[in-house]
Coordinates of all heavy atoms in Angstrom, one line a residue:
M1 N 0.8 -1.2 0.0 CA 0.0 0.0 0.0 C 0.9 1.2 0.0 O 1.8 1.4 0.8 CB -0.9 0.0 1.3 CG -1.8 1.1 1.4 SD -2.8 1.1 2.9 CE -3.5 -0.5 3.0
S2 N 0.7 2.1 -1.0 CA 1.5 3.3 -1.0 C 1.0 4.4 -0.1 O -0.2 4.5 0.2 CB 1.6 3.8 -2.5 OG 0.3 4.2 -2.9
R3 N 1.9 5.3 0.3 CA 1.5 6.4 1.2 C 1.0 7.6 0.4 O 1.5 7.8 -0.7 CB 2.8 6.8 2.0 CG 3.2 5.8 3.0 CD 2.4 6.1 4.2 NE 2.7 5.0 5.2 CZ 1.8 4.6 6.1 NH1 0.6 5.1 6.1 NH2 2.1 3.7 6.9
L4 N 0.1 8.4 1.0 CA -0.4 9.6 0.4 C -0.2 10.7 1.4 O -0.6 10.5 2.6 CB -1.9 9.5 0.1 CG -2.6 10.7 -0.4 CD1 -2.0 11.2 -1.7 CD2 -4.1 10.5 -0.5
T5 N 0.5 11.8 1.1 CA 0.7 12.9 2.0 C 0.0 14.1 1.5 O 0.2 14.5 0.3 CB 2.2 13.2 2.1 OG1 2.9 12.0 2.6 CG2 2.4 14.3 3.1
L6 N -0.8 14.7 2.3 CA -1.6 15.9 2.0 C -1.2 17.0 2.9 O -1.0 16.8 4.1 CB -3.1 15.7 2.1 CG -3.7 14.6 1.2 CD1 -5.2 14.5 1.5 CD2 -3.5 15.0 -0.3
A7 N -1.1 18.2 2.4 CA -0.9 19.5 3.2 C -2.3 20.0 3.4 O -3.1 20.1 2.5 CB 0.0 20.5 2.4
L8 N -2.6 20.4 4.7 CA -3.9 20.8 5.1 C -3.8 22.2 5.8 O -3.1 22.4 6.8 CB -4.4 19.8 6.1 CG -5.8 20.0 6.6 CD1 -6.8 19.9 5.5 CD2 -6.1 18.9 7.6
D9 N -4.5 23.2 5.2 CA -4.6 24.5 5.8 C -5.8 24.5 6.8 O -6.9 24.5 6.4 CB -4.9 25.5 4.7 CG -5.0 27.0 5.2 OD1 -5.0 27.2 6.4 OD2 -5.2 27.9 4.3
I10 N -5.5 24.6 8.1 CA -6.5 24.6 9.1 C -7.1 25.9 9.4 O -8.1 26.0 10.1 CB -6.1 23.9 10.4 CG1 -5.0 24.8 11.1 CG2 -5.6 22.5 10.1 CD1 -4.8 24.5 12.5
M11 N -6.6 27.0 8.8 CA -7.0 28.3 9.2 C -8.1 28.9 8.3 O -8.7 29.9 8.5 CB -5.8 29.3 9.2 CG -4.7 28.9 10.1 SD -5.2 28.4 11.8 CE -5.8 30.0 12.4
G12 N -8.5 28.2 7.2 CA -9.5 28.6 6.3 C -10.9 28.1 6.8 O -11.0 27.3 7.7
G13 N -11.9 28.6 6.2 CA -13.2 28.1 6.5 C -14.0 29.0 7.4 O -13.5 29.7 8.2
D14 N -15.3 28.9 7.3 CA -16.2 29.8 8.1 C -16.4 29.3 9.5 O -16.7 30.0 10.4 CB -17.6 29.9 7.4 CG -17.5 30.6 6.1 OD1 -16.6 31.4 5.9 OD2 -18.4 30.4 5.3
N15 N -16.2 28.0 9.7 CA -16.4 27.4 11.1 C -15.2 27.2 11.9 O -15.3 26.6 13.0 CB -17.2 26.1 10.9 CG -18.6 26.4 10.3 OD1 -19.3 27.3 10.7 ND2 -18.9 25.6 9.3
G16 N -14.1 27.6 11.4 CA -12.8 27.6 12.2 C -12.1 26.3 12.1 O -12.5 25.3 11.6
P17 N -10.9 26.3 12.7 CA -10.0 25.1 12.6 C -10.5 23.8 13.2 O -10.2 22.8 12.8 CB -8.7 25.6 13.4 CG -8.8 27.1 13.4 CD -10.3 27.4 13.4
H18 N -11.4 23.9 14.3 CA -11.9 22.7 14.9 C -12.6 21.8 14.0 O -12.5 20.6 14.1 CB -12.7 23.1 16.2 CG -14.0 23.7 15.9 ND1 -14.1 25.1 15.6 CD2 -15.2 23.2 15.8 CE1 -15.4 25.4 15.4 NE2 -16.1 24.3 15.5
I19 N -13.4 22.3 13.0 CA -14.1 21.5 12.0 C -13.1 20.8 11.1 O -13.2 19.6 10.8 CB -15.0 22.4 11.2 CG1 -16.1 23.0 12.1 CG2 -15.6 21.6 10.0 CD1 -17.1 22.0 12.7
I20 N -12.1 21.5 10.7 CA -11.1 21.0 9.8 C -10.3 19.9 10.5 O -10.0 18.8 10.0 CB -10.2 22.1 9.2 CG1 -11.0 23.1 8.4 CG2 -9.0 21.5 8.4 CD1 -10.3 24.3 8.0
L21 N -9.9 20.2 11.7 CA -9.1 19.2 12.5 C -9.9 18.0 12.9 O -9.3 16.8 12.8 CB -8.5 19.9 13.7 CG -7.5 20.9 13.4 CD1 -7.1 21.7 14.7 CD2 -6.2 20.3 12.8
S22 N -11.1 18.1 13.1 CA -12.0 17.0 13.4 C -12.1 16.1 12.2 O -12.0 14.8 12.2 CB -13.4 17.5 13.8 OG -14.3 16.4 13.9
S23 N -12.2 16.7 11.0 CA -12.3 16.0 9.7 C -11.0 15.3 9.4 O -10.9 14.2 8.9 CB -12.7 16.9 8.6 OG -14.0 17.4 8.8
A24 N -9.9 16.0 9.8 CA -8.5 15.4 9.6 C -8.4 14.1 10.4 O -7.9 13.1 9.9 CB -7.5 16.4 10.0
L25 N -8.8 14.1 11.6 CA -8.8 12.9 12.5 C -9.6 11.8 11.9 O -9.2 10.6 11.8 CB -9.2 13.2 13.9 CG -9.3 12.0 14.8 CD1 -7.9 11.3 14.9 CD2 -9.7 12.4 16.2
S26 N -10.8 12.1 11.4 CA -11.6 11.1 10.7 C -10.9 10.5 9.5 O -11.0 9.3 9.3 CB -13.0 11.7 10.3 OG -13.7 12.1 11.4
A27 N -10.3 11.3 8.7 CA -9.6 10.8 7.6 C -8.4 9.9 7.9 O -8.2 8.9 7.3 CB -9.1 12.0 6.7
L28 N -7.7 10.3 9.0 CA -6.6 9.5 9.5 C -7.1 8.1 9.9 O -6.4 7.1 9.7 CB -5.8 10.2 10.6 CG -4.9 11.4 10.1 CD1 -4.5 12.2 11.4 CD2 -3.7 10.9 9.4
Q29 N -8.2 8.1 10.6 CA -8.8 6.9 11.1 C -9.2 6.0 10.0 O -9.1 4.8 10.0 CB -9.9 7.1 12.0 CG -9.5 7.8 13.3 CD -10.6 8.3 14.2 OE1 -11.7 8.7 13.6 NE2 -10.4 8.4 15.5
Q30 N -9.8 6.6 8.9 CA -10.4 5.8 7.8 C -9.3 5.3 6.8 O -9.5 4.3 6.2 CB -11.4 6.6 7.1 CG -12.2 5.9 6.1 CD -13.4 6.7 5.5 OE1 -13.6 7.8 6.0 NE2 -14.1 6.1 4.6
Y31 N -8.2 6.1 6.6 CA -7.2 5.8 5.6 C -5.9 5.7 6.2 O -5.1 6.6 6.4 CB -7.2 6.9 4.5 CG -8.6 7.1 3.9 CD1 -9.4 8.2 4.2 CD2 -9.0 6.3 2.9 CE1 -10.6 8.4 3.6 CE2 -10.2 6.4 2.3 CZ -11.0 7.5 2.6 OH -12.3 7.6 2.1
P32 N -5.5 4.4 6.5 CA -4.2 4.2 7.1 C -3.0 4.6 6.3 O -1.9 4.7 6.8 CB -4.2 2.7 7.4 CG -5.3 2.1 6.6 CD -6.2 3.2 6.3
Q33 N -3.1 4.8 5.0 CA -2.0 5.2 4.1 C -1.8 6.7 4.1 O -0.9 7.2 3.5 CB -2.2 4.6 2.7 CG -3.2 5.3 1.9 CD -4.7 4.8 2.1 OE1 -5.0 4.2 3.1 NE2 -5.6 5.1 1.2
L34 N -2.7 7.4 4.8 CA -2.7 8.9 4.7 C -1.7 9.5 5.8 O -1.7 9.1 6.9 CB -4.1 9.4 5.0 CG -4.3 10.9 5.0 CD1 -4.0 11.6 3.7 CD2 -5.7 11.3 5.5
N35 N -0.9 10.4 5.3 CA -0.1 11.3 6.2 C -0.5 12.7 6.0 O -0.9 13.1 4.9 CB 1.4 11.2 5.8 CG 1.9 9.8 6.1 OD1 1.6 9.2 7.1 ND2 2.8 9.3 5.2
L36 N -0.5 13.5 7.0 CA -0.9 14.9 6.9 C 0.3 15.9 7.3 O 1.0 15.6 8.3 CB -2.1 15.2 7.8 CG -3.4 14.5 7.4 CD1 -4.5 14.9 8.4 CD2 -3.8 14.9 6.0
I37 N 0.4 17.0 6.6 CA 1.2 18.1 7.0 C 0.2 19.2 7.3 O -0.5 19.7 6.4 CB 2.2 18.6 5.9 CG1 3.1 17.4 5.5 CG2 3.0 19.8 6.4 CD1 3.9 17.8 4.2
V38 N 0.0 19.5 8.6 CA -1.0 20.4 9.1 C -0.4 21.8 9.2 O 0.6 22.0 9.9 CB -1.6 19.9 10.4 CG1 -2.7 20.9 10.9 CG2 -2.2 18.5 10.3
C39 N -1.0 22.8 8.5 CA -0.4 24.1 8.5 C -1.4 25.1 9.2 O -2.6 25.1 8.8 CB -0.2 24.6 7.0 SG 0.9 23.5 6.1
G40 N -0.8 25.9 10.1 CA -1.7 26.9 10.8 C -1.0 27.5 12.0 O 0.2 27.4 12.1
E41 N -1.8 28.0 12.9 CA -1.2 28.6 14.1 C -0.8 27.5 15.1 O -1.5 26.6 15.4 CB -2.3 29.5 14.8 CG -2.6 30.7 13.9 CD -3.7 31.6 14.6 OE1 -4.0 31.4 15.8 OE2 -4.2 32.5 13.9
Q42 N 0.4 27.7 15.6 CA 1.1 26.7 16.4 C 0.2 26.3 17.6 O 0.0 25.1 17.9 CB 2.5 27.2 16.9 CG 3.2 26.2 17.7 CD 3.6 24.9 17.0 OE1 3.9 24.9 15.8 NE2 3.7 23.8 17.7
P43 N -0.3 27.2 18.4 CA -1.1 26.8 19.6 C -2.3 25.9 19.3 O -2.6 25.0 20.0 CB -1.5 28.1 20.3 CG -0.6 29.2 19.7 CD -0.2 28.7 18.4
I44 N -3.0 26.3 18.2 CA -4.2 25.5 17.8 C -3.8 24.1 17.4 O -4.4 23.1 17.9 CB -4.9 26.2 16.7 CG1 -5.5 27.6 17.2 CG2 -6.0 25.4 16.1 CD1 -6.0 28.5 16.1
M45 N -2.8 24.0 16.6 CA -2.3 22.7 16.1 C -1.8 21.8 17.3 O -2.1 20.7 17.4 CB -1.2 22.8 15.0 CG -1.7 23.5 13.8 SD -0.4 23.5 12.5 CE 1.0 24.2 13.3
Q46 N -1.0 22.4 18.1 CA -0.4 21.7 19.2 C -1.4 21.1 20.2 O -1.3 20.0 20.6 CB 0.6 22.6 20.0 CG 1.6 21.8 20.9 CD 2.5 20.9 20.1 OE1 3.0 21.3 19.1 NE2 2.7 19.7 20.6
A47 N -2.4 21.9 20.5 CA -3.5 21.5 21.4 C -4.2 20.3 20.8 O -4.5 19.3 21.5 CB -4.5 22.6 21.7
W48 N -4.5 20.4 19.5 CA -5.2 19.2 18.8 C -4.3 18.0 18.8 O -4.7 16.9 19.2 CB -5.5 19.7 17.4 CG -6.0 18.6 16.5 CD1 -7.2 18.0 16.5 CD2 -5.3 17.9 15.4 NE1 -7.3 17.0 15.5 CE2 -6.1 17.0 14.9 CE3 -4.0 18.1 14.9 CZ2 -5.7 16.2 13.8 CZ3 -3.6 17.3 13.9 CH2 -4.5 16.4 13.3
F49 N -3.0 18.2 18.4 CA -2.1 17.1 18.3 C -1.9 16.3 19.6 O -1.9 15.1 19.7 CB -0.7 17.6 17.8 CG 0.3 16.6 17.5 CD1 0.2 15.8 16.4 CD2 1.3 16.4 18.4 CE1 1.2 14.9 16.1 CE2 2.3 15.4 18.2 CZ 2.2 14.7 17.0
E50 N -1.8 17.1 20.7 CA -1.6 16.5 22.0 C -2.8 15.7 22.5 O -2.7 14.8 23.4 CB -1.3 17.5 23.1 CG 0.1 18.1 22.8 CD 0.4 19.3 23.7 OE1 -0.4 19.8 24.5 OE2 1.6 19.8 23.6
Q51 N -4.0 15.9 21.9 CA -5.2 15.1 22.3 C -5.3 13.8 21.5 O -6.2 13.0 21.8 CB -6.4 16.0 22.2 CG -6.4 17.1 23.2 CD -7.7 18.0 23.0 OE1 -8.6 17.6 22.3 NE2 -7.7 19.1 23.6
L52 N -4.5 13.7 20.5 CA -4.6 12.5 19.6 C -4.0 11.3 20.2 O -3.1 11.4 21.0 CB -3.9 12.8 18.3 CG -4.5 13.8 17.4 CD1 -3.5 14.0 16.2 CD2 -5.9 13.5 16.9
P53 N -4.5 10.1 19.9 CA -3.8 8.9 20.2 C -2.4 8.8 19.6 O -2.2 9.3 18.5 CB -4.7 7.8 19.6 CG -6.0 8.4 19.4 CD -5.8 9.8 19.1
A54 N -1.5 8.3 20.4 CA -0.1 8.3 20.0 C 0.1 7.6 18.7 O 1.1 7.9 17.9 CB 0.8 7.7 21.1
E55 N -0.7 6.7 18.3 CA -0.6 5.9 17.1 C -0.6 6.8 15.8 O -0.1 6.5 14.8 CB -1.7 4.9 16.9 CG -3.0 5.5 16.7 CD -4.2 4.5 16.8 OE1 -4.5 4.1 18.0 OE2 -4.7 4.1 15.8
F56 N -1.2 8.0 15.9 CA -1.2 8.9 14.8 C 0.0 9.9 14.7 O 0.2 10.5 13.6 CB -2.5 9.8 14.8 CG -3.8 9.0 14.7 CD1 -4.7 8.9 15.7 CD2 -4.0 8.3 13.5 CE1 -5.9 8.2 15.5 CE2 -5.2 7.5 13.3 CZ -6.1 7.5 14.4
Y57 N 0.7 10.0 15.7 CA 1.9 10.9 15.7 C 2.8 10.8 14.6 O 3.2 11.7 13.9 CB 2.7 10.8 17.0 CG 2.0 11.3 18.3 CD1 2.6 11.2 19.5 CD2 0.7 11.9 18.2 CE1 1.9 11.7 20.7 CE2 0.0 12.3 19.4 CZ 0.7 12.2 20.6 OH 0.0 12.7 21.7
P58 N 3.2 9.5 14.2 CA 4.2 9.4 13.1 C 3.6 9.8 11.7 O 4.3 10.0 10.8 CB 4.5 7.9 13.0 CG 4.0 7.4 14.3 CD 2.9 8.2 14.8
R59 N 2.3 10.0 11.6 CA 1.6 10.3 10.3 C 1.3 11.8 10.2 O 0.7 12.2 9.2 CB 0.4 9.4 10.2 CG 0.7 7.9 10.1 CD -0.5 7.0 10.2 NE -1.5 7.4 9.3 CZ -2.8 7.1 9.5 NH1 -3.2 6.4 10.5 NH2 -3.7 7.5 8.6
I60 N 1.7 12.6 11.2 CA 1.3 14.0 11.2 C 2.6 14.8 11.4 O 3.4 14.6 12.3 CB 0.3 14.3 12.3 CG1 -1.0 13.5 12.1 CG2 0.0 15.8 12.4 CD1 -1.9 13.5 13.4
E61 N 2.7 15.8 10.6 CA 3.7 16.9 10.7 C 3.0 18.2 10.9 O 2.1 18.5 10.2 CB 4.6 16.9 9.5 CG 5.7 17.9 9.5 CD 6.5 18.0 8.2 OE1 6.5 17.0 7.5 OE2 7.0 19.1 7.9
L62 N 3.4 19.0 11.9 CA 2.9 20.3 12.1 C 3.8 21.3 11.5 O 5.0 21.3 11.7 CB 2.7 20.6 13.6 CG 1.9 19.6 14.4 CD1 1.8 20.0 15.9 CD2 0.5 19.5 13.8
S63 N 3.2 22.3 10.8 CA 4.0 23.3 10.1 C 3.4 24.7 10.6 O 2.3 25.1 10.1 CB 3.9 23.2 8.6 OG 4.6 24.1 8.0
A64 N 4.0 25.3 11.5 CA 3.5 26.5 12.1 C 3.7 27.7 11.2 O 4.7 27.9 10.5 CB 4.3 26.8 13.4
C65 N 2.6 28.5 11.1 CA 2.6 29.7 10.2 C 2.4 30.9 11.1 O 1.5 30.9 12.0 CB 1.5 29.6 9.1 SG 1.8 28.1 8.1
T66 N 3.1 32.0 10.8 CA 3.0 33.2 11.7 C 2.1 34.3 11.2 O 1.7 35.2 11.9 CB 4.3 33.8 11.9 OG1 4.9 34.2 10.7 CG2 5.3 32.8 12.6
Q67 N 1.7 34.2 9.9 CA 0.8 35.3 9.3 C -0.6 34.8 9.1 O -0.8 33.6 8.7 CB 1.4 35.7 8.0 CG 2.8 36.4 8.2 CD 3.4 36.9 6.9 OE1 3.5 36.1 6.0 NE2 3.7 38.2 6.8
T68 N -1.5 35.7 9.3 CA -3.0 35.4 9.2 C -3.6 36.1 8.0 O -3.2 37.2 7.7 CB -3.7 35.9 10.5 OG1 -3.1 35.2 11.6 CG2 -5.2 35.5 10.4
V69 N -4.4 35.4 7.3 CA -5.1 35.9 6.2 C -6.5 36.4 6.6 O -7.3 35.6 7.3 CB -5.3 34.9 5.1 CG1 -6.1 35.4 3.9 CG2 -3.9 34.3 4.6
L70 N -6.8 37.6 6.4 CA -8.1 38.2 6.7 C -9.2 37.9 5.6 O -8.8 37.7 4.5 CB -8.0 39.7 7.0 CG -6.9 40.1 8.0 CD1 -6.8 41.6 8.1 CD2 -7.3 39.5 9.4
M71 N -10.4 37.9 6.0 CA -11.5 37.6 5.1 C -11.6 38.5 3.9 O -11.9 38.1 2.8 CB -12.8 37.6 5.8 CG -13.0 36.4 6.8 SD -13.0 34.8 6.0 CE -14.6 34.9 5.2
D72 N -11.2 39.8 4.1 CA -11.3 40.7 3.0 C -10.1 40.8 2.1 O -10.1 41.6 1.2 CB -11.7 42.1 3.5 CG -10.7 42.7 4.4 OD1 -9.8 41.9 4.9 OD2 -10.8 43.9 4.7
E73 N -9.1 40.0 2.3 CA -7.9 40.1 1.6 C -8.0 39.3 0.3 O -8.6 38.2 0.3 CB -6.7 39.6 2.4 CG -6.3 40.5 3.5 CD -5.1 40.0 4.2 OE1 -5.2 39.0 5.0 OE2 -4.0 40.5 4.0
R74 N -7.5 39.8 -0.8 CA -7.5 39.1 -2.1 C -6.4 38.0 -2.1 O -5.3 38.2 -1.7 CB -7.2 40.1 -3.2 CG -8.3 41.2 -3.4 CD -7.9 42.2 -4.4 NE -7.6 41.5 -5.7 CZ -8.5 41.4 -6.7 NH1 -9.7 41.9 -6.5 NH2 -8.2 40.8 -7.8
P75 N -6.8 36.8 -2.5 CA -5.9 35.7 -2.5 C -4.6 36.0 -3.2 O -3.5 35.6 -2.8 CB -6.7 34.5 -3.1 CG -8.1 34.9 -2.9 CD -8.1 36.4 -2.9
T76 N -4.6 36.6 -4.4 CA -3.4 36.9 -5.1 C -2.5 37.8 -4.3 O -1.3 37.7 -4.3 CB -3.7 37.6 -6.5 OG1 -4.6 38.7 -6.3 CG2 -4.4 36.6 -7.4
S77 N -3.0 38.8 -3.6 CA -2.2 39.7 -2.7 C -1.6 38.9 -1.6 O -0.4 39.1 -1.2 CB -3.1 40.8 -2.2 OG -2.4 41.6 -1.3
V78 N -2.4 38.0 -1.0 CA -1.9 37.2 0.1 C -0.7 36.3 -0.3 O 0.3 36.2 0.4 CB -3.0 36.3 0.7 CG1 -2.5 35.3 1.7 CG2 -4.1 37.2 1.4
L79 N -0.9 35.7 -1.5 CA 0.2 34.8 -1.9 C 1.5 35.5 -2.2 O 2.6 35.0 -2.1 CB -0.3 34.1 -3.2 CG -1.4 33.1 -2.9 CD1 -1.9 32.5 -4.2 CD2 -1.0 32.0 -2.0
R80 N 1.4 36.8 -2.6 CA 2.6 37.6 -2.9 C 3.2 38.2 -1.6 O 4.4 38.2 -1.4 CB 2.3 38.7 -3.8 CG 2.2 38.3 -5.3 CD 2.2 39.5 -6.2 NE 1.0 40.4 -6.0 CZ -0.1 40.3 -6.6 NH1 -0.3 39.3 -7.5 NH2 -1.1 41.1 -6.4
S81 N 2.3 38.6 -0.7 CA 2.9 39.4 0.5 C 3.0 38.6 1.8 O 3.7 39.0 2.6 CB 2.0 40.7 0.7 OG 0.7 40.3 1.1
K82 N 2.2 37.6 2.0 CA 2.2 36.9 3.2 C 2.8 35.5 3.0 O 2.1 34.5 2.9 CB 0.8 36.8 3.8 CG 0.3 38.1 4.2 CD -1.0 38.0 5.0 CE -1.4 39.4 5.6 NZ -2.6 39.3 6.4
K83 N 4.1 35.5 3.0 CA 4.9 34.3 2.6 C 4.8 33.2 3.7 O 5.2 32.1 3.5 CB 6.3 34.6 2.2 CG 6.3 35.5 1.0 CD 7.7 35.9 0.6 CE 7.8 36.9 -0.4 NZ 7.7 36.5 -1.8
D84 N 4.4 33.6 5.0 CA 4.3 32.7 6.1 C 2.9 32.5 6.5 O 2.6 32.2 7.7 CB 5.2 33.1 7.3 CG 5.5 32.0 8.2 OD1 5.8 30.9 7.7 OD2 5.5 32.2 9.4
S85 N 2.0 32.6 5.6 CA 0.6 32.3 5.8 C 0.3 30.8 5.5 O 1.0 30.2 4.7 CB -0.4 33.1 5.0 OG -0.3 32.8 3.6
S86 N -0.7 30.2 6.2 CA -1.0 28.8 5.9 C -1.4 28.6 4.5 O -1.2 27.6 3.9 CB -2.0 28.3 6.9 OG -3.2 29.1 6.9
M87 N -2.1 29.6 3.9 CA -2.5 29.5 2.5 C -1.3 29.3 1.6 O -1.3 28.4 0.7 CB -3.3 30.7 2.1 CG -3.8 30.7 0.6 SD -4.5 32.3 0.1 CE -6.0 32.4 1.0
R88 N -0.4 30.1 1.7 CA 0.8 30.0 0.9 C 1.6 28.8 1.2 O 2.1 28.1 0.3 CB 1.7 31.3 1.1 CG 3.1 31.2 0.5 CD 3.3 32.0 -0.7 NE 4.6 31.9 -1.2 CZ 5.4 32.9 -1.6 NH1 4.9 34.1 -1.5 NH2 6.5 32.7 -2.1
R89 N 1.8 28.4 2.5 CA 2.6 27.2 2.8 C 2.0 26.0 2.2 O 2.7 25.1 1.7 CB 2.6 27.1 4.3 CG 3.3 25.9 4.9 CD 4.8 26.1 5.1 NE 5.2 27.3 5.6 CZ 5.3 27.6 6.9 NH1 5.1 26.7 7.8 NH2 5.7 28.8 7.3
V90 N 0.7 25.8 2.2 CA 0.0 24.6 1.7 C 0.3 24.6 0.2 O 0.6 23.5 -0.4 CB -1.5 24.6 2.0 CG1 -2.2 23.6 1.1 CG2 -1.7 24.3 3.4
L91 N 0.2 25.7 -0.5 CA 0.4 25.7 -2.0 C 1.9 25.3 -2.3 O 2.2 24.6 -3.2 CB 0.0 27.0 -2.6 CG -1.5 27.3 -2.6 CD1 -1.7 28.7 -3.1 CD2 -2.2 26.3 -3.5
E92 N 2.8 25.8 -1.5 CA 4.2 25.5 -1.7 C 4.5 24.0 -1.4 O 5.3 23.4 -2.2 CB 5.1 26.3 -0.7 CG 5.2 27.8 -1.1 CD 5.9 28.6 -0.1 OE1 6.2 28.1 1.0 OE2 6.3 29.7 -0.4
L93 N 3.8 23.4 -0.4 CA 4.0 22.0 -0.2 C 3.4 21.2 -1.2 O 3.9 20.1 -1.6 CB 3.4 21.7 1.2 CG 4.2 22.2 2.4 CD1 3.4 22.1 3.7 CD2 5.5 21.5 2.6

């Protein structure tokens, strides 16, 4: 069985990171070949990661981002100017 690695931006969406992280856990449980690179704010990711069963630790990499994208910002502007945003990081990965 081959491995699949996905980069996941947890900072997007109308309902916040908790919905995305909950879905990420479901995907990890359902697909044993899945690895995730989770991109977003360090405290949010770390709190989620520490609550996971240890069996998932080897399949998850946390990638902390320091810049936040606001709802009214144009994506093209963000990609040029916010090089440490989760949006840009996921696209680079």
Side-chain angles (χ1 to χ4, degrees):
M1 181 181 312
S2 63
R3 291 272 176 214
L4 172 66
T5 301
L6 297 177
L8 182 63
D9 177 0
I10 66 160
M11 303 311 295
D14 292 335
N15 296 313
H18 67 280
I19 296 294
I20 298 168
L21 292 170
S22 173
S23 298
L25 176 56
S26 293
L28 287 166
Q29 291 168 332
Q30 188 171 358
Y31 301 101
Q33 73 278 18
L34 178 63
N35 293 322
L36 294 176
I37 304 171
V38 181
C39 302
E41 294 180 9
Q42 180 68 29
I44 295 170
M45 294 185 307
Q46 195 65 43
W48 170 75
F49 185 77
E50 290 172 358
Q51 294 178 12
L52 295 176
E55 67 190 77
F56 294 116
Y57 291 178
R59 297 172 47 205
I60 300 168
E61 178 183 334
L62 303 180
S63 182
C65 301
T66 61
Q67 294 178 305
T68 302
V69 178
L70 304 175
M71 291 294 290
D72 63 344
E73 291 183 282
R74 296 176 56 97
T76 53
S77 175
V78 169
L79 293 175
R80 281 193 298 269
S81 65
K82 293 191 173 181
K83 297 179 192 273
D84 200 37
S85 68
S86 56
M87 179 190 292
R88 169 107 180 224
R89 178 85 43 89
V90 165
L91 290 173
E92 288 175 347
L93 290 168

